[in-house]
Amino acid sequence: MSISRHFVLAAGGTGGHMIPAYAVAKELTARGHHVALVTDARGAKIPGIFADMQVHVLPAGRLQGGPVGWLRGGKAILAGRAMAMRLYETFQPTAVVGFGGYPALPALLGAISMKIPTALHEQNAVLGRVNRLLAGKVDAIATAYPIVGKLADKHAGKVHLIGNPVRAEVMALRDEEFPPLTDESVFRLLVTGGSQGATVLSSVVPDGLALLPVALRRRLQVTQQCRPDDIEKVRATYADLEIPADLSTYIEDMAEKLNWAHLVIARAGASTIAELTTAGRPAILIPLPSAMDDHQTANVREMVEAGGARSIPQARFTPVELAKQLQKMAMEPGALANAAKRARACGRPYAARDMADLLESIGQAPIMNDPLRTTPPAPSTLTLQGVPA
C-alpha cells in the first residue's frame, strides 16, 4: 500500500525552472502525495501552472552588487530561510527539492538546517550558481545531460541522470507522427523566445523569411511569441509580406503548437530543448549570449551533434543566415522528418517519473532508470526515515 507524503518544490521565477517543477509536482500528486511550491513573486504569476497547488512566496535575495548588495541579499535569504522553516514545521515535508534560481536557496537552506532530505535538479548543461552553492550539502543531484559543466567530480556518487521533466501534454506528443510535409503543403513555423521572449527573434525572423524564394514564402504559416513592445511591428511586417501569422506575448498551449509545427526557431533554454526532444521537432536554436556561463550554448550541443537541430550564435544570426539555413532544411526532401527523428532520439521523456522515483527513495538505493519502462513503478519496499514507501 502506498503512503501519501508531503514534498516541497522550490523554483526560481522563470519558466525554465518552473515548468520542470510543475511536471514533477503533477507526477507526485498523481501518486497521491501532497505538494507545495516555494517561489518568488515572478514565479507565482506565471500563467497556466500551479493554479491547483499550494504556492508560498518567499524573499529571494541575490548575492550581487558589491558589499551593500551582498548585505541586502543576505538579509533576504535569511528571512526566506526562516519563513521556509516555519512552513516545514506545519507541512512536515518528506523531502525538499530545488529546481534552481535564487528562490530555491532559502528553501533548501531551511531544509538542510532541519535535516530534511534534500535534492537538486539542474536543467542546464552547466550547473547553476545556486545549485553550485548547495551541491555539497544535498542528498541527491539530478541532471538533464550526461555531461554537466561546473559539477565537481567529488559529487559523482549522488548524481542521477534524469532529464528535464516536461508537462503531460508535451509527453503525449511522443506518440504523434511528424506532420506530413510535401513540396506543395503549408510549411508551419513556430518561433518562441521562452517565457521571457526574445527581441532578436522579432527583429531577424520576419526579415529572414522575406528573403526566402517566393514559392517557399507563400507556403509559410507562422506562430510567433513576441515581447509586448515588439508585437505590433512584427504583425505589420508579416502583413506586408502576406505571411499568415498568429502572434502572442505568451504561448500557453505550447504542446498544441509543437504538434502543429514542422520547424521551431527558438532560444536554447533547457525546457525548450526538453520539449523539442520529447515531441521530436527539428529546430534552429539561437543561444542567449548573456546566459550565465554560456549555458545555452552547452544545452544545444547534444541535439546539434545528433542532427536534430542547427545552432546559430546570436552574433551571426542575421536575416541572410536564417534564410540560408531555412532553405537547406525546408527544400531538401525528407530533411525535416529526418531531423525530427534525430531530435526525438535525444529525448528523456520519463524525467518527471524518474525524478518522482528519486524523491520517493531519497537517501536510499540509487534509482535505476529504465528508458523502456512506460508504466509507473510498483510501490517500493524501501524505507525513508523509518516510514514505509
Side-chain angles (χ1 to χ4, degrees):
M1 185 177 78
S2 62
I3 289 180
S4 176
R5 297 177 179 175
H6 292 184
F7 293 92
V8 170
L9 281 59
T14 66
H17 300 305
M18 296 288 287
I19 289 174
Y22 177 70
V24 174
K26 295 294 283 186
E27 175 70 19
L28 289 169
T29 55
R31 298 183 184 197
H33 302 305
H34 299 283
V35 174
L37 171 74
V38 169
T39 188
D40 58 6
R42 290 185 307 160
K45 293 177 182 177
I46 292 179
I49 59 176
F50 286 103
D52 55 347
M53 300 179 193
Q54 287 188 44
V55 177
H56 302 269
V57 177
L58 300 187
R62 293 175 174 268
L63 299 176
Q64 60 186 23
V68 174
W70 299 337
L71 180 60
R72 187 183 300 115
K75 286 182 177 179
I77 290 168
L78 290 175
R81 174 178 170 273
M83 290 175 65
M85 293 174 74
R86 290 196 295 272
L87 169 64
Y88 302 157
E89 287 173 358
T90 56
F91 193 66
Q92 296 186 335
T94 293
V96 177
V97 54
F99 287 83
Y102 278 98
L105 182 56
L108 285 162
L109 289 175
I112 291 166
S113 296
M114 297 177 71
K115 301 190 184 307
I116 298 168
T118 52
L120 300 174
H121 181 273
E122 178 55 60
Q123 297 90 52
N124 293 301
V126 180
L127 201 66
R129 183 177 294 176
V130 168
N131 284 352
R132 250 177 274 168
L133 288 172
L134 295 170
K137 304 181 188 306
V138 299
D139 298 294
I141 300 170
T143 65
Y145 296 92
I147 300 174
V148 177
K150 298 189 180 295
L151 178 58
D153 291 342
K154 63 184 178 181
H155 302 318
K158 56 183 173 182
V159 172
H160 304 260
L161 176 59
I162 295 289
N164 263 322
V166 298
R167 290 168 286 190
E169 54 267 36
V170 175
M171 177 67 178
L173 302 182
R174 192 81 177 165
D175 298 324
E176 299 290 332
E177 296 291 333
F178 184 72
L181 181 64
T182 69
D183 292 341
E184 305 298 327
S185 61
V186 172
F187 179 26
R188 303 194 293 260
L189 193 63
L190 173 62
V191 185
T192 174
S195 63
Q196 304 301 303
T199 291
V200 68
L201 298 182
S202 297
S203 301
V204 173
V205 173
D207 290 345
L209 301 187
L211 299 177
L212 294 175
V214 173
L216 177 57
R217 193 171 73 231
R218 286 177 176 169
R219 293 170 49 207
L220 290 174
Q221 188 171 335
V222 177
T223 293
Q224 183 162 344
Q225 176 206 13
C226 305
R227 287 182 182 270
D229 292 346
D230 302 328
I231 193 166
E232 292 308 322
K233 180 181 177 182
V234 174
R235 195 186 310 280
T237 302
Y238 282 132
D240 289 343
L241 293 170
E242 299 183 339
I243 295 175
D246 177 16
L247 308 182
S248 62
T249 57
Y250 185 82
I251 299 175
E252 290 193 34
D253 56 344
M254 182 57 77
E256 181 181 330
K257 299 305 184 189
L258 276 174
N259 195 34
W260 168 90
H262 293 112
L263 178 67
V264 179
I265 300 174
R267 283 295 195 198
S271 287
T272 296
I273 291 177
E275 291 176 346
L276 290 169
T277 55
T278 297
R281 288 297 179 271
I284 294 174
L285 299 169
I286 302 89
L288 177 67
S290 61
M292 186 174 295
D293 301 311
D294 197 22
H295 66 251
Q296 289 202 2
T297 296
N299 288 350
V300 305
R301 192 168 296 125
E302 183 180 35
M303 193 176 174
V304 169
E305 289 178 354
R310 298 182 184 219
S311 179
I312 305 175
Q314 184 164 312
R316 293 198 293 107
F317 184 58
T318 64
V320 171
E321 181 64 21
L322 175 61
K324 182 173 69 174
Q325 296 297 337
L326 274 170
Q327 286 185 73
K328 287 180 180 178
M329 299 182 79
M331 301 183 78
E332 180 181 335
L336 285 171
N338 183 52
K341 291 178 182 178
R342 292 170 179 268
R344 189 180 186 277
C346 295
R348 296 181 177 88
Y350 306 114
R353 180 204 67 191
D354 291 342
M355 190 70 200
D357 284 352
L358 178 59
L359 293 175
E360 286 183 333
S361 63
I362 197 167
Q364 306 296 327
I367 296 299
M368 298 301 292
N369 294 325
D370 179 2
L372 299 179
R373 189 176 71 190
T374 57
T375 56
S380 171
T381 58
L382 300 176
T383 60
L384 177 62
Q385 296 185 334
V387 179

